[in-house]
Amino acid sequence: MKLSDSLPEELRQTRAVEVLERSLAQNRLGHGILLHGESLENLETIVRAIAAHLLETMRNPFEHPDCFILRPSGKARLIKVGKTEENNTMRKLVIDIAKSSNQGGRKVGIVIDADRMNPASANAFLKTLEEPPAGTTLFLLTTRPYDLLDTIRSRCLNFRIPATLETIQHPDWASWVVSYREWLGRLIKGPNKKTIPHIMMGAYGLNARFQAILNEMTATAWKTQKESLPEHITSDEKDAMEVGLSKGYRKQLFGEIEKATAGFARDIEALNTGELPASALHRATEALEKSAGLMEINFNQVAALELFFLSSLRIWTTAR
């Protein structure tokens, strides 16, 4: 069976899948593969299909005795080098893939969210990548490839997997976007003593609703995902997976906020209410990216979004 036959329709026609499929057919897949893109779910779908092909199994390859998986663990979502006897550490992965195959075939090592490797674990992985065991293919999955060591990226074949177009499934998201655009409209009209309280309360209301939507999306998805996890997944790994799931949805929601902001700016111009300076939209986008960046370093999520709304207040009230 071809690689693409086991993938969703939206991933089959991507250039990366075409190259990977050809390499598998010619038995010329490199020993180090870096899969990166905006959707970790897509990356896991593809690596699962490749691993099944390499291990020649029709079952879930992640449960195969010659497939070794390493994920971030704990609330900090780190991949640590660890001690020899500790599970879910880089040292344990390196030891496992150095052993002979359990079933006499190939071995597969997969590091999910590879950008979460700390310096010690990254260096330990690099040594293995430089001198990989025979019959072993190593995969790195990440949504932040440039957070990896340059020496690791340069020793891997790099494949960017595009994100599929997904709509926000939460029933309250569409009304949130409407409320956000209305809030921006009040900013454009200019605040005064009468409207300032409504503007500030509107910002806090949008923040609270955003958090509720994100929490509900995460809880619903995690409930489904948790039911299909292998029994050997530790509680620390589960914590990290749930946090990672929330971050993925948050990134998607922030992308939708950026689209809504750009759409609002275009509509203002289309209504002939006056041309907005291009710098206003640029500054608003920068403010959103700054808030997203703060969250990536574990800055309080509510405070980071509040900062975006306050920045928007300054940007849009002075845009005309």
Side-chain angles (χ1 to χ4, degrees):
M1 184 173 68
K2 296 194 301 181
L3 172 65
S4 57
D5 291 339
S6 56
L7 293 175
E9 182 65 33
E10 61 268 20
L11 291 176
R12 292 179 184 176
Q13 305 303 318
T14 62
R15 174 62 177 164
V17 169
E18 291 178 7
V19 175
L20 286 165
E21 189 169 62
R22 191 181 314 123
S23 299
L24 284 170
Q26 298 173 353
N27 197 28
R28 296 180 60 183
L29 192 67
H31 67 270
I33 308 295
L34 171 59
L35 301 178
H36 62 94
E38 295 179 0
S39 170
L40 191 63
E41 183 179 354
N42 283 353
L43 304 183
E44 287 199 41
T45 297
I46 290 176
V47 80
R48 194 184 295 267
I50 298 174
H53 183 97
L54 293 173
L55 298 171
E56 299 180 352
T57 180
M58 299 297 292
R59 302 178 63 184
N60 181 0
F62 284 13
E63 298 179 5
H64 193 282
D66 290 314
C67 184
F68 307 101
I69 301 171
L70 180 57
R71 301 175 181 269
S73 61
K75 293 293 185 181
R77 299 183 65 249
L78 292 176
I79 296 176
K80 300 178 181 179
V81 67
K83 299 178 180 178
T84 304
E85 67 275 11
E86 290 180 329
N87 289 322
N88 200 46
T89 63
M90 181 57 71
R91 184 164 283 124
K92 182 70 165 57
L93 175 69
V94 169
I95 290 172
D96 285 341
I97 61 177
K99 296 176 181 177
S100 299
S101 169
N102 290 293
Q103 295 195 352
R106 297 188 61 83
K107 294 172 293 180
V108 173
I110 304 171
V111 182
I112 298 173
D113 273 326
D115 53 279
R116 302 304 298 171
M117 291 188 288
N118 65 16
S121 59
N123 284 318
F125 182 81
L126 178 59
K127 292 178 182 178
T128 301
L129 191 60
E130 290 173 336
E131 299 179 10
T136 301
T137 306
L138 301 171
F139 293 91
L140 296 173
L141 279 58
T142 178
T143 58
R144 300 170 64 88
Y146 293 104
D147 284 351
L148 297 175
L149 293 177
D150 291 343
T151 45
I152 288 180
R153 291 204 315 273
S154 65
R155 283 170 172 77
C156 294
L157 295 176
N158 286 242
F159 294 94
R160 184 183 182 280
I161 309 300
T164 53
L165 296 177
E166 299 178 358
T167 57
I168 305 299
Q169 298 299 319
H170 195 281
D172 295 336
W173 181 249
S175 64
W176 189 97
V177 172
V178 171
S179 297
Y180 172 64
R181 288 172 59 99
E182 290 174 349
W183 183 76
L184 291 178
R186 287 196 289 271
L187 299 186
I188 285 293
K189 292 178 181 177
N192 53 50
K193 291 182 179 181
K194 185 177 180 180
T195 60
I196 282 179
H198 297 286
I199 288 173
M200 298 306 298
M201 291 302 295
Y204 288 118
L206 285 168
N207 199 339
R209 289 168 61 192
F210 178 94
Q211 307 303 329
I213 290 170
L214 176 58
N215 290 339
E216 288 178 19
M217 290 176 65
T218 302
T220 301
W222 177 239
K223 182 180 179 180
T224 302
Q225 184 174 330
K226 189 166 55 173
E227 292 174 351
S228 62
L229 292 178
E231 293 182 359
H232 61 78
I233 297 292
T234 67
S235 58
D236 275 353
E237 288 178 279
K238 290 178 180 178
D239 286 343
M241 292 169 70
E242 185 175 6
V243 171
L245 193 63
S246 178
K247 286 190 173 184
Y249 282 128
R250 187 177 69 201
K251 185 175 182 180
Q252 188 180 3
L253 291 175
F254 267 49
E256 292 299 311
I257 293 176
E258 183 175 347
K259 292 179 185 176
T261 306
F264 170 79
R266 288 194 299 269
D267 290 347
I268 287 293
E269 294 182 3
L271 291 171
N272 295 319
T273 55
E275 184 176 352
L276 291 173
S279 61
L281 179 57
H282 177 70
R283 288 164 58 204
T285 303
E286 281 188 336
L288 188 62
E289 291 174 349
K290 180 180 179 180
S291 293
L294 288 172
M295 293 182 198
E296 287 295 331
I297 58 174
N298 295 324
F299 190 80
N300 180 274
Q301 183 170 281
V302 175
L305 192 57
E306 182 180 308
L307 177 64
F308 165 68
F309 286 125
L310 291 176
S311 297
S312 297
L313 177 59
R314 290 191 296 269
I315 292 166
W316 294 107
T317 55
T318 59
R320 303 299 289 269

